[in-house]
Amino acid sequence: MSLPFASPHFRRAALLALGLLAAAPLLAQPGPPPVPADGTPLGLAREYARRGEWLKAEALLSDLPGEVQLAPNVLPDYLKVLFELKKFREAEKLAKKAVRKSPAEPTLGVALGSVYAAQGDTAAASKQYSLVLSRLTAGQVVPVATEFQQRELPRWVQRTYLRGRELARNDAEYSPQLVQLYTRTGNTAGLLSETLRLVDQDEQQLPFVRNMLQNSLRTDQDFDTLEKLLLSRAQQQAERAAYPELLLWLYQQRRDFTGALVQARALDRRQRTEGSRVMDVAAIAQRNKDYEAAIEGYQYVAREYRSGQFGQLARQRLIQAREEQVRNTFPVDKAQLQALVGEYQQLLTDYGRTAQTAETLRNLALLYAFQLDDKQQGMQLLQQVIDLPRADAALVDEAKLALGDIYLLRAEPWEATLLYSQVERSRKDSPLGYDAKLRNARLSYFAGDFRLAQSHLDILKLATSREIANDAMQLSLLIGDNTAMDTAGVALRDYAAAELLVFQNKLPEALKALDALLTKYPGHALTDETWYLKAQLLRRTGDYAGAVATLQRITENPKYDILSDDALYLTAQIEEENRQDRARAQELYTQLLTRYPGSIYVADARKHVRQLRGDAVPQ
């Protein structure tokens, strides 16, 4: 058995045992000279110990004078040798001798306890460690905790710090040390409790606490434990805002936006922020495609704060969230789209066609052009946005990009690229400028000019916007992977043409093009991409069985491992949302968590499993 005896505090204790830390005049008295480390019995003993020849090492150490055996550079080595030889009686005598020399030095008492533990006498060891803690003074807490840590006794490290907290009469004393200990030992419950103690003492610690929790929470059980702790504290200390803040953060981490809205409403009422917290959560829910939660949040603000600063914006975003929900519910219900047109027009009637409603005009234009196939009406509305006096310049440029998209819908790529390039120049080195460049790259890709597309994408991969950089990287990889062997990119041209049909909302034609590609290029590297895109289109057209069967071609073939988690997640969504098979959906989400723990879909999959399992939603 090998134990780390040579901590700095242990050496200090050994010096005390020898009386070498007495007053200066005593130290100045003549004594035995220091023993050289090499070419001496001690050096030879250490060499034997290094080679595992414990008997030879012990023979040399036992011949040393008693005071030398207790020297701080010798005692740890001697104890280690005795432990390896299981000569616990001798080790006990040696440790007790040191304790007798300096009974007030607690680290020597820890060493004695470790002798009992090595003998298997855990009761005696525990008694000795407890004795050390009972005699502890405030100044000895850290050295003793360090000694226990050196001997890999985390339970006693914890007890030492807790004893120090009692001595200090301060419930927050040694919190950083305990947080580190719990993190190192994986004691999640202790870590959460100790971390929240920091908030109890000082709410200014909230950012630090969130950061600690972000780095520490790993499993659903961890999140469940924290949720219970926070709910309990929020009920017991209703006057404290820190716990709703942490619950809001927790639910957002779990993508439980319904639970997050509960806390956001409470914080809005407490802080009198007129719905701003709810608006923030609703926007995040919308970006994460949780349209029910987003709609609930916007409805709340539009109802409760109708005349407030966010009332109009809440109504605008409410219609926008409903539109996204309709567009992403397959097959798309045209009657619901027409109803949304009426909602947009009512909003414009209520607030007028001004700079403040420019975003509403733009959204209505895109609805007409892309969903209702009324491109002319869409173009007219976008031109109104561009011509609005005092309209936000960024929104005007966004309208120009949307107008370029409609030109692409009309198969007029030159008009589209003129508008994209105009925005790219006026918004250089900004997210909107990068967006314009990405559209130009996509336009080149649709046209089969992969070299020009790649030149745009090489710049965009360094963009400051992570979303744009990721989109650029994805398209760049698609082009690179499929032009490496086939420099002309013949198959990729056909695939790009199919994607253009999808962009133009010509789904039947796109499906035919994809089937032709699969027939024309069997076994091509684009096969998995083609199957995946086809499955998405089949879902949009309402052929759910066909979509699932197509996705199985990916999930059941190890060759297509790159898209396997995407395909499995999409299959689970179809089973849950479209085929209403909750049991099958839960099984598939669980499979994703097991087979692809590093997937980007893990957080969403966990959320769906909880919902399908029927876990209670916090109120």
Side-chain angles (χ1 to χ4, degrees), residues 261 268 273-283 286 291 293-323 340 343-344 347 350-351 356-357 359-360 363:
L261 282 174
D268 269 327
T273 46
E274 297 189 350
S276 69
R277 304 302 296 272
V278 173
M279 289 291 288
D280 290 342
V281 172
Q286 185 176 349
Y291 300 117
I295 289 169
E296 180 186 345
Y298 294 137
Q299 282 177 329
Y300 170 81
V301 176
R303 181 180 65 251
E304 299 296 326
Y305 303 98
R306 185 179 183 85
S307 58
Q309 60 177 318
F310 300 109
Q312 179 181 337
L313 181 61
R315 284 187 64 189
Q316 290 177 330
R317 291 191 177 172
L318 173 59
I319 302 171
Q320 184 181 350
R322 283 176 175 158
E323 181 190 340
L340 286 167
E343 291 186 41
Y344 274 128
L347 188 65
D350 291 345
Y351 293 105
Q356 287 68 42
T357 58
E359 185 178 0
T360 301
N363 293 339

Side-chain angles (χ1 to χ4, degrees), residues 130-147:
S130 298
L131 181 63
V132 170
L133 295 190
S134 70
R135 297 173 176 174
L136 207 60
T137 64
Q140 296 170 334
V141 172
V142 173
V144 170
T146 303
E147 195 67 31

Side-chain angles (χ1 to χ4, degrees), residues 87-120:
K87 292 189 176 184
F88 302 119
R89 184 62 61 84
E90 288 86 342
E92 183 179 344
K93 289 179 181 178
L94 193 63
K96 284 182 174 178
K97 184 177 180 181
V99 170
R100 284 194 300 269
K101 278 281 187 180
S102 186
E105 175 50 52
T107 57
L108 294 173
V110 175
L112 178 58
S114 70
V115 175
Y116 297 139
Q119 296 179 67

Side-chain angles (χ1 to χ4, degrees), residues 171-172 193-206 209 229-248 263 266-271 277:
D171 285 344
S193 180
E194 199 59 46
T195 303
L196 294 181
R197 193 183 300 275
L198 293 174
V199 179
D200 289 339
Q201 297 292 321
D202 181 8
E203 291 196 3
Q204 297 298 318
Q205 296 287 337
L206 199 57
V209 167
L229 287 170
L230 289 173
L231 287 171
S232 174
R233 276 175 158 80
Q235 291 170 358
Q236 294 169 5
Q237 304 178 51
E239 74 284 357
R240 303 284 295 275
Y243 301 118
E245 289 281 6
L246 282 172
L247 279 166
L248 173 59
Q263 304 305 320
L267 288 166
D268 269 327
R269 288 192 296 268
R270 179 194 299 271
Q271 298 166 352
R277 304 302 296 272

Side-chain angles (χ1 to χ4, degrees), residues 377-588:
Q377 179 67 14
M379 295 176 78
Q380 289 175 4
L381 289 171
L382 286 173
Q383 195 60 52
Q384 288 181 30
V385 174
I386 294 169
D387 295 339
L388 273 173
R390 296 183 299 280
D392 180 73
L395 194 58
V396 169
D397 282 337
E398 288 176 9
K400 290 179 181 178
L401 293 179
L403 188 57
D405 288 344
I406 296 177
Y407 275 118
L408 188 53
L409 279 182
R410 289 165 44 123
E412 298 180 48
W414 289 111
E415 295 294 334
T417 194
L418 284 174
L419 286 165
Y420 295 158
S421 299
Q422 183 180 338
V423 175
E424 188 179 339
R425 287 192 298 271
S426 66
R427 295 283 170 175
K428 189 175 182 180
D429 296 328
S430 74
L432 198 55
Y434 291 137
D435 190 6
K437 184 178 282 293
L438 181 61
R439 291 174 195 239
N440 261 326
R442 184 184 60 190
L443 188 59
S444 299
Y445 163 72
F446 286 152
D449 190 344
F450 303 130
R451 183 171 296 180
L452 181 57
Q454 196 68 275
S455 68
H456 289 302
L457 296 171
D458 287 341
I459 297 172
L460 290 170
K461 284 186 286 187
L462 303 176
T464 53
S465 166
R466 184 173 64 178
E467 184 178 353
I468 290 174
N470 287 344
D471 288 345
M473 181 66 73
Q474 188 173 356
L475 183 55
S476 178
L477 288 172
L478 178 66
I479 294 173
D481 290 346
N482 292 284
T483 55
M485 301 299 293
D486 176 12
T487 53
V490 178
L492 186 59
R493 287 175 188 274
D494 289 351
Y495 183 79
E499 284 207 286
L500 176 58
L501 291 171
V502 175
F503 177 81
Q504 294 171 334
N505 218 19
K506 298 176 180 178
L507 303 191
E509 294 91 333
L511 282 167
K512 288 180 182 178
L514 293 173
D515 284 336
L517 192 151
L518 290 167
T519 303
K520 189 175 179 182
Y521 308 103
H524 194 277
L526 276 167
T527 300
D528 55 341
E529 297 276 358
T530 306
W531 286 128
Y532 189 71
L533 180 55
K534 181 179 178 180
Q536 291 176 304
L537 300 186
L538 289 171
R539 185 193 186 195
R540 287 174 62 176
T541 58
D543 185 358
Y544 307 127
V548 170
T550 302
L551 290 168
Q552 284 177 338
R553 293 177 177 270
I554 299 173
T555 58
E556 295 177 359
N557 191 332
K559 189 169 110 176
Y560 303 139
D561 62 308
I562 293 177
L563 285 177
S564 291
D565 62 327
D566 303 81
L568 188 58
Y569 182 73
L570 182 55
T571 304
Q573 282 189 308
I574 293 170
E575 296 291 0
E576 179 186 7
E577 299 170 12
N578 305 121
R579 303 180 84 178
Q580 306 297 313
D581 190 340
R582 293 170 59 86
R584 177 60 177 158
Q586 183 177 343
E587 178 186 343
L588 291 169

